[in-house]
Amino acid sequence: MPIRELMAEHIYLACGYTDMRKPIDGLGALVVSRFHLDPHQLAIFLFCGRRKDCIKGVCDTVKVPTVIV
């Protein structure tokens, strides 16, 4: 999905590494536990893998919750 089609009020970057095998529900749970935020708000949450060669993002700014890899 091109970034230009996303609308977000905030972009959050998780510090440290995240297990990139986690599905969208697992990343949403991390948003609640780490950031103490609602994963359904107009925001993009970005997570980095251990090797720092991949970033996975979660956003709920479209009609269907989306994982951006």
Side-chain angles (χ1 to χ4, degrees):
M1 172 183 296
I3 298 295
R4 67 179 177 272
E5 293 180 14
L6 298 176
M7 295 176 57
E9 294 176 358
H10 301 284
I11 299 175
Y12 296 96
L13 178 62
C15 296
Y17 69 88
T18 303
D19 184 359
M20 299 308 273
R21 298 173 295 177
K22 288 190 181 288
I24 190 169
D25 295 336
L27 293 175
L30 284 176
V31 168
V32 172
S33 66
R34 270 194 205 173
F35 298 120
H36 303 288
L37 295 171
D38 178 15
H40 302 291
Q41 65 179 323
L42 289 175
I44 298 173
F45 300 93
L46 299 174
F47 301 91
C48 184
R50 182 181 293 271
R51 294 183 297 174
K52 300 178 186 89
D53 63 347
C54 179
I55 293 178
K56 188 182 275 190
V58 176
C59 69
D60 197 11
T61 60
V62 291
K63 292 181 182 177
V64 178
T66 305
V67 173
I68 304 165
V69 178

